[in-house]
Amino acid sequence: MTQQAPPEAPGEAPRPVRVVCLPGVYRPQTDTLLLASAMRREGIRPGMDVLDLCTGSGALALHAARLGASVTAVDISRRAVASARLNSMLAGLPVTVRRGDLLRALPGRTFDAVVSNPPYVPAPSLAAPRHRAGRSWDAGLDGRMVLDRICDDAFTALRPGGVLLLVQSGLSRPEKTVGRLSAAGLDVAVTDRVTIPFGPVTRGRSAWLRARGFLPARLDREELVVIRARRK
């Protein structure tokens, strides 16, 4: 029987959570770490109900569980769901993992915190890929295929005082996310910014991104941001 790991004590440095990723499942990278840091600063703690949307490997769900929260994780990918369940078992951390389409997987449920590292990279296709790794990052021509849906549903998914923490690229227009969440009735702020070199995906489609006006000429770095939205 796998033992449950104890929650981290306040002020204790986060203990790393190793994850296994089946082929095609997003491996934790800078955006994952940026959001994990924001979660810790937010005060995720025992007694809180936390939802991890687009969980992928389950790394952020495990981080919330290690902080003591009761955690539900959702992903539309069968391989992501299998990876998250496996990682929960290996880490000895209780996470309920559901397969489904964002909040449609949990009708009527509300949470103290919702965290999400969704697909957000603009892609030269109107449709999201269905059976390859690109479904972890490709998000339509403007990169907002998933972001806009999360923004529109966030208010009803949060309890009063609840918080959404969302990470995205500057390529997918964070100002639109801020505006959409504000229009939904949430208090919104950009809390974190970091600039990183292009990864393989962005580098590989940089010519297309420039042609579409997403990138200035010769720029080879992108900004990642964490957006915090609170329900009053």
Side-chain angles (χ1 to χ4, degrees):
M1 180 176 178
T2 305
Q3 277 192 322
Q4 177 180 343
E8 295 175 4
E12 181 183 348
R15 296 189 293 271
V17 177
R18 295 184 179 181
V19 294
V20 176
C21 295
L22 296 178
V25 176
Y26 186 74
R27 293 185 177 279
Q29 297 181 39
T30 303
D31 49 4
T32 314
L33 298 175
L34 192 65
L35 191 51
S37 177
M39 291 166 61
R40 185 169 184 80
R41 187 175 63 243
E42 190 63 41
I44 302 298
R45 60 192 179 276
M48 294 182 69
D49 286 328
V50 175
L51 171 62
D52 178 16
L53 281 179
C54 307
T55 192
S57 68
L60 291 170
L62 295 180
H63 183 61
R66 193 174 288 280
L67 292 170
S70 175
V71 186
T72 303
V74 171
D75 205 292
I76 199 167
S77 162
R78 288 184 173 86
R79 290 187 177 189
V81 168
S83 296
R85 286 175 176 163
L86 175 61
N87 287 318
S88 172
M89 180 186 68
L90 292 174
L93 294 168
V95 174
T96 300
V97 185
R98 300 280 182 86
R99 180 175 180 265
D101 185 12
L102 299 177
L103 289 162
R104 292 181 185 176
L106 302 163
R109 289 281 304 276
T110 59
F111 299 87
D112 300 301
V114 177
V115 300
S116 187
N117 182 5
Y120 53 65
V121 180
S125 173
L126 288 171
R130 296 180 61 84
H131 303 296
R132 54 189 176 90
R135 76 186 308 177
S136 299
W137 51 75
D138 286 352
L141 294 175
D142 60 359
R144 301 196 57 83
M145 182 180 293
V146 180
L147 284 166
D148 285 343
R149 292 183 58 202
I150 293 173
C151 290
D152 292 346
D153 292 341
F155 186 91
T156 56
L158 293 172
R159 297 170 182 167
V163 171
L164 167 71
L165 295 172
L166 178 72
V167 65
Q168 70 170 95
S169 169
L171 298 175
S172 47
R173 306 294 194 260
E175 67 276 9
K176 289 190 176 182
T177 300
V178 170
R180 205 162 184 125
L181 289 168
S182 296
L186 300 171
D187 289 336
V188 191
V190 176
T191 59
D192 300 82
R193 297 180 184 271
V194 63
T195 302
I196 61 171
F198 286 167
V201 175
T202 310
R203 188 165 54 247
R205 66 184 59 161
S206 59
W208 179 83
L209 289 166
R210 289 190 177 93
R212 292 278 300 182
F214 289 103
L215 285 173
R218 299 183 181 178
L219 182 69
D220 61 355
R221 302 176 71 84
E222 69 175 309
E223 184 179 57
L224 300 176
V225 304
V226 173
I227 297 172
R228 178 185 186 270
R230 180 180 179 272
R231 178 171 175 175
K232 299 177 184 178

